[in-house]
Amino acid sequence: MAVSYNYMLQSVRFSPKTSLFISSDCNGYSHKGRNRHISFVSTERSDKGFSADPKVDTLLDNIKWDDKGLAVAIAQNVDTGAILMQGFANREAVATTLSSRKATFFSRSRSTLWTKGETSNNFINVHDVFLDCDRDSIIYLGKPDGPTCHTGSETCYYTPVSDLLMKDKAEENRLALTTFYGLESTIAKRKADSAGTENQKPSWTKRLLLDNNLLCSKIREEADELCQTLEKNEDKSRTASEMADVLYHAMVLLALKDVKLEDVMQVLRERFSQSGIEEKRSRSSQKSGKD
Amino acid sequence: MAVSYNYMLQSVRFSPKTSLFISSDCNGYSHKGRNRHISFVSTERSDKGFSADPKVDTLLDNIKWDDKGLAVAIAQNVDTGAILMQGFANREAVATTLSSRKATFFSRSRSTLWTKGETSNNFINVHDVFLDCDRDSIIYLGKPDGPTCHTGSETCYYTPVSDLLMKDKAEENRLALTTFYGLESTIAKRKADSAGTENQKPSWTKRLLLDNNLLCSKIREEADELCQTLEKNEDKSRTASEMADVLYHAMVLLALKDVKLEDVMQVLRERFSQSGIEEKRSRSSQKSGKD
């Protein structure tokens, strides 16, 4: 049985006219440089001004639009979880997002529909759309083609209140990063800190970055210790701790190789699509002869 | 030099009266069952109705409130990146969040301030607050004490549009999950799928779940292959691919041990606070004698 991702969608067609065409696998996702136009739905104008098939109309009817016909729309990076930007969507914006698979909003200042990326080419390729329990807030879960913010920042959220409160002005932009990506950023900073280490005891991270033998021996050791928590039936907290060690040391290796966690996540996402596991199995079989 | 997390805040005091007291390390964070009240700021009422110290006033003045005095406020899980809920905040809500470190909103329907968790006890313990480039959208980045949604769901976003479009009604709730957590959920499902595997070829994940020796040999093998990409100077895509293999196989072990990725992230966050690396270094030294 193939393992498929929860948000991996299946190809379904309703009728020749109003097809509900949903990407069949990871290859259907839009990536930079490709202009695939696989969509959730085909769209047509109707009495309501903008419509698609009847199911989409029903869906749009069910969203709780505010007194201006808007709902909050949040774009989130499917691989990293980063909140890319937040805008507002009206009926047409959601319908357009569903049909084009590009995150589309309604600009309150300009009173127009706008698709993120229409000028910068940094589209957000939407994999799925989620409504909240009240149906007045929407997540566009997708993959950005490039930096989302008009300033060139990866996301629009680079102003931490803590910095503003500690200083008159934040010295540098600092993205809202969650644990995994905050650690990645810290390791990258240690890597960049080549100067200033001569006169002080280098950090453990810096030592690992400077000594491939040490780093690789630690990665192998930590993987072994993670396995031992299963083999020796150690407690859960020990497993969590050893997994944290594996992640941290492996992330130092990623930093040395200039590989981003986001790239690793993309590999995972593409691999674990419909028949990903079977593909992996056959690769493993060829490689190790173990199965 | 100690590695500290980007969003780990430092203890700063401005004056005895209006202290800007920011948590000094991970131990300062609120966890379930503890009622620490370490706050960004002390708060006092002022001419503006709600204020704290002058820096907070300036900060609040700089937020672009809409015609109703509100800004969008999004609560995000600092460890998983999950968008927990979205509400609106007014001046008082942000000031209260900064002082109490509990995500606080303004209810538009009830026209009152409300702190998430005030009835359920499932507070969202805010580690930092971020503004977007337009300063009209706010992220409360924090750790939830329990499920955020009033329905008992972990987050409010459990209604995928793709399901709604494919079926008359979504059969089951499905959270908006990013790649890492989507894979975790898929592996958990394979683990729960004990029935129905007798008459069909088990998935690779299922085989790993049923055979500890196979799983541990794969984890050790994949860690070794990841190291080889550094030792043999293989290309970046190979490193990303091997890291994905390490993650996937290690996640199967986590599933077997009933350890959540979120727990691992919490360990990472707590470990890599101010002196975390030095602590780790001393642990490693005692354990392996390698440093």
Side-chain angles (χ1 to χ4, degrees):
Chain A
M1 185 165 43
V3 169
S4 63
Y5 255 19
N6 275 346
Y7 55 76
M8 291 285 171
L9 307 171
Q10 290 155 357
S11 177
V12 181
R13 281 182 185 276
F14 277 74
S15 78
K17 188 75 183 275
T18 57
S19 66
L20 174 66
F21 187 22
I22 300 186
S23 168
S24 59
D25 61 34
C26 59
N27 297 321
Y29 291 131
S30 292
H31 295 296
K32 189 156 191 167
R34 295 189 221 166
N35 273 322
R36 289 170 181 271
H37 284 286
I38 294 168
S39 59
F40 288 93
V41 290
S42 67
T43 50
E44 289 168 24
R45 290 206 165 264
S46 77
D47 294 346
K48 290 189 176 167
F50 203 88
S51 155
D53 69 25
K55 277 183 178 277
V56 174
D57 269 338
T58 305
L59 168 76
L60 296 173
D61 288 344
N62 275 320
I63 294 177
K64 221 163 80 187
W65 307 104
D66 71 8
D67 51 4
K68 291 168 185 157
L70 301 175
V72 167
I74 303 160
Q76 185 179 30
N77 185 320
V78 66
D79 284 332
T80 67
I83 298 175
L84 300 168
M85 60 164 288
Q86 176 261 311
F88 290 84
N90 61 1
R91 200 176 167 93
E92 190 174 354
V94 174
T96 302
T97 300
L98 292 176
S99 62
S100 68
R101 298 181 68 98
K102 308 284 182 199
T104 301
F105 303 87
F106 179 80
S107 165
R108 294 180 302 170
S109 57
R110 290 180 286 122
S111 290
T112 55
L113 208 69
W114 69 282
T115 296
K116 167 67 207 160
E118 62 192 10
T119 53
S120 66
N121 246 14
N122 291 331
F123 294 97
I124 298 170
N125 304 288
V126 176
H127 294 190
D128 208 346
V129 174
F130 288 80
L131 306 181
D132 79 341
C133 51
D134 293 333
R135 305 212 170 190
D136 62 359
S137 183
I138 298 165
I139 294 177
Y140 291 155
L141 190 64
K143 187 74 177 175
D145 278 335
T148 293
C149 189
H150 70 284
T151 62
S153 171
E154 265 183 64
T155 83
C156 294
Y157 298 89
Y158 52 81
T159 307
V161 162
S162 55
D163 283 5
L164 292 178
L165 293 178
M166 281 195 284
K167 303 158 196 168
D168 280 335
K169 198 172 177 182
E171 276 168 33
E172 54 176 343
N173 295 336
R174 184 161 66 79
L175 287 171
L177 294 176
T178 52
T179 297
F180 212 22
Y181 298 89
L183 178 56
E184 178 182 48
S185 164
T186 301
I187 294 170
K189 278 186 194 143
R190 292 293 162 274
K191 189 185 167 197
D193 269 358
S194 56
T197 52
E198 286 155 25
N199 299 326
Q200 61 189 65
K201 210 166 88 174
S203 68
W204 177 242
T205 304
K206 194 75 197 174
R207 282 189 57 195
L208 293 169
L209 284 164
L210 293 170
D211 185 343
N212 288 1
N213 288 339
L214 174 64
L215 175 59
C216 289
S217 77
K218 286 302 294 177
I219 292 173
R220 290 184 174 101
E221 176 190 316
E222 299 299 350
D224 182 63
E225 287 177 358
L226 175 65
C227 292
Q228 287 183 39
T229 69
L230 180 66
E231 293 163 337
K232 297 181 178 173
N233 201 23
E234 292 174 344
D235 68 19
K236 288 168 65 166
S237 67
R238 186 93 191 130
T239 303
S241 173
E242 294 301 341
M243 180 65 175
D245 285 342
V246 169
L247 289 178
Y248 160 67
H249 288 89
M251 283 164 78
V252 176
L253 187 146
L254 292 189
L256 272 175
K257 297 285 290 180
D258 279 322
V259 171
K260 291 229 160 239
L261 274 178
E262 181 167 2
D263 299 334
V264 177
M265 291 300 149
Q266 184 161 327
V267 171
L268 274 178
R269 173 164 51 79
E270 291 174 354
R271 189 168 294 166
F272 294 95
S273 60
Q274 289 186 320
S275 57
I277 286 289
E278 295 308 320
E279 180 269 339
K280 162 67 194 159
R281 188 178 179 179
S282 81
R283 280 196 311 120
S284 295
S285 174
Q286 288 161 13
K287 199 168 58 176
S288 67
K290 282 203 176 66
D291 51 297
Chain B
M1 184 164 43
V3 169
S4 64
Y5 254 19
N6 276 345
Y7 54 78
M8 292 285 173
L9 307 171
Q10 291 156 355
S11 178
V12 180
R13 281 182 185 277
F14 276 73
S15 78
K17 187 75 184 274
T18 56
S19 66
L20 175 67
F21 187 22
I22 300 186
S23 167
S24 59
D25 61 34
C26 58
N27 297 320
Y29 291 129
S30 293
H31 296 296
K32 189 157 193 167
R34 296 191 220 164
N35 272 321
R36 289 171 182 270
H37 284 287
I38 295 168
S39 59
F40 290 92
V41 290
S42 68
T43 51
E44 291 169 22
R45 288 204 166 267
S46 78
D47 294 345
K48 290 188 178 168
F50 203 90
S51 156
D53 68 27
K55 277 182 179 278
V56 174
D57 269 338
T58 304
L59 168 76
L60 296 174
D61 288 344
N62 274 320
I63 295 178
K64 220 164 80 187
W65 308 103
D66 71 9
D67 52 3
K68 290 169 185 156
L70 301 175
V72 167
I74 303 161
Q76 185 178 29
N77 186 320
V78 66
D79 284 332
T80 67
I83 298 175
L84 299 168
M85 60 165 288
Q86 176 261 311
F88 290 84
N90 61 1
R91 199 176 168 92
E92 189 174 356
V94 174
T96 303
T97 299
L98 293 176
S99 62
S100 68
R101 296 181 68 98
K102 308 284 183 198
T104 302
F105 303 87
F106 179 80
S107 165
R108 293 179 303 171
S109 57
R110 290 179 285 123
S111 290
T112 55
L113 208 69
W114 69 280
T115 296
K116 167 66 206 161
E118 62 191 12
T119 52
S120 66
N121 247 13
N122 291 331
F123 293 97
I124 299 170
N125 305 289
V126 176
H127 294 190
D128 208 344
V129 175
F130 287 81
L131 306 181
D132 79 342
C133 51
D134 294 332
R135 305 214 167 188
D136 62 359
S137 183
I138 299 163
I139 294 177
Y140 291 155
L141 190 64
K143 187 75 177 174
D145 279 334
T148 293
C149 189
H150 70 285
T151 60
S153 172
E154 264 183 63
T155 83
C156 294
Y157 297 89
Y158 53 79
T159 307
V161 161
S162 55
D163 283 5
L164 292 178
L165 292 179
M166 281 196 284
K167 304 158 196 169
D168 281 337
K169 200 175 175 179
E171 276 167 33
E172 55 176 343
N173 296 335
R174 185 162 66 79
L175 287 171
L177 294 176
T178 52
T179 297
F180 212 22
Y181 299 89
L183 179 55
E184 178 182 49
S185 164
T186 301
I187 294 171
K189 278 186 193 141
R190 292 293 162 273
K191 189 184 169 199
D193 268 358
S194 55
T197 52
E198 287 155 26
N199 300 327
Q200 60 190 67
K201 207 166 93 175
S203 68
W204 176 242
T205 304
K206 194 75 196 174
R207 282 189 56 194
L208 292 169
L209 285 164
L210 293 170
D211 185 343
N212 288 1
N213 288 338
L214 174 64
L215 175 60
C216 290
S217 77
K218 287 302 295 176
I219 291 172
R220 290 184 173 101
E221 177 190 316
E222 299 298 349
D224 182 63
E225 288 177 357
L226 175 65
C227 292
Q228 287 182 38
T229 69
L230 180 66
E231 292 164 337
K232 298 181 178 173
N233 200 23
E234 293 175 343
D235 68 18
K236 288 168 65 167
S237 66
R238 186 93 191 129
T239 303
S241 173
E242 293 301 340
M243 180 65 176
D245 284 342
V246 169
L247 289 179
Y248 160 68
H249 288 90
M251 283 165 78
V252 176
L253 187 146
L254 292 189
L256 272 174
K257 296 286 291 181
D258 279 323
V259 172
K260 291 229 159 239
L261 274 178
E262 181 168 1
D263 299 335
V264 177
M265 292 299 148
Q266 183 160 329
V267 171
L268 274 178
R269 173 164 51 80
E270 291 175 354
R271 188 168 294 165
F272 294 97
S273 60
Q274 289 186 320
S275 58
I277 286 288
E278 295 307 321
E279 181 267 342
K280 162 68 195 160
R281 189 177 177 181
S282 82
R283 280 196 310 120
S284 294
S285 173
Q286 287 161 15
K287 198 168 62 174
S288 67
K290 282 203 178 62
D291 50 297

